[in-house]
Amino acid sequence: MSNPSAARPNDPLKDLTLAISGFHKTGAHAIRIVLQDWFEFLGGRPAEIVYVDGGSPLSTTRILASLASEGLIDRLELLNPAHWENSFDRCYIQEYRSGLLASRPYVMFIKPDMLPFRHGHDSWLREDILQLDQPRVFSITNTHLIEPPVSRRGPYL
């Protein structure tokens, strides 16, 4: 197809997986509220919600399992609390796994302790997906908070 963005649906949420990785005690009782805040931020529920938990206690995994049975989480992977990956230094593995489990063409990685906030610019998701369809664009990220930006294309660093 010569123009990939021409085939995009009017609703970018149909192409989006929200990939979440939680580590140990991530405020289990607040997860439902955090998910709903993300849905509001995105403009609706994405096509898929993936949650990879990094070894939380049984009380948290029960809440996560109930959210999966209610349909708020589509794919849930739980790690044994004694597993070697259950470490702050190795939580990147759970982030990788959450993306690996995604079945949609676009993946948005979030952490359950990060709350979204936005006023205006409601077409941002559609615009970002169009940017991702450009040649030589692999991802959109906030790494400019760590490293200074090396280039700019419109509003994108």
Side-chain angles (χ1 to χ4, degrees):
M1 186 179 307
S2 60
N3 183 3
S5 63
R8 295 282 167 251
N10 289 332
D11 182 3
L13 293 172
K14 292 180 181 178
D15 280 343
L16 185 66
T17 294
L18 191 62
I20 307 165
S21 59
F23 174 72
H24 199 47
K25 299 175 184 172
T26 313
H29 296 291
I31 291 174
R32 174 189 308 278
I33 295 165
V34 169
L35 279 174
Q36 291 167 340
D37 283 349
W38 276 101
F39 297 167
E40 182 179 338
F41 175 76
L42 292 168
R45 187 193 191 282
E48 181 177 52
I49 311 297
V50 172
Y51 196 109
V52 176
D53 179 72
S56 292
L58 185 58
S59 59
T60 300
T61 59
R62 284 183 177 144
I63 291 169
L64 292 171
S66 72
L67 293 174
S69 68
E70 291 174 34
L72 281 175
I73 296 173
D74 299 303
R75 293 175 184 258
L76 176 62
E77 182 173 291
L78 302 173
L79 193 64
N80 180 324
H83 194 276
W84 71 274
E85 279 180 28
N86 189 4
S87 160
F88 178 79
D89 297 324
R90 291 183 288 276
C91 64
Y92 65 89
I93 298 170
Q94 289 121 42
E95 292 171 2
Y96 169 82
R97 297 262 327 140
S98 70
L100 182 67
L101 293 172
S103 68
R104 301 301 179 173
Y106 299 99
V107 180
M108 182 175 180
F109 293 92
I110 68 163
K111 291 289 201 175
D113 63 352
M114 185 172 83
L115 300 175
F117 179 77
R118 182 191 85 234
H119 284 288
H121 193 61
D122 291 335
S123 62
W124 71 272
L125 183 58
R126 182 176 288 104
E127 292 172 18
D128 284 2
I129 286 177
L130 290 173
Q131 284 297 313
L132 288 168
D133 286 340
Q134 300 300 313
R136 300 181 353 168
V137 175
F138 175 72
S139 69
I140 297 172
T141 182
N142 67 346
T143 58
H144 65 278
L145 299 174
I146 300 167
E147 301 272 338
V150 294
S151 69
R152 177 178 283 280
R153 183 187 314 168
Y156 297 92
L157 301 174

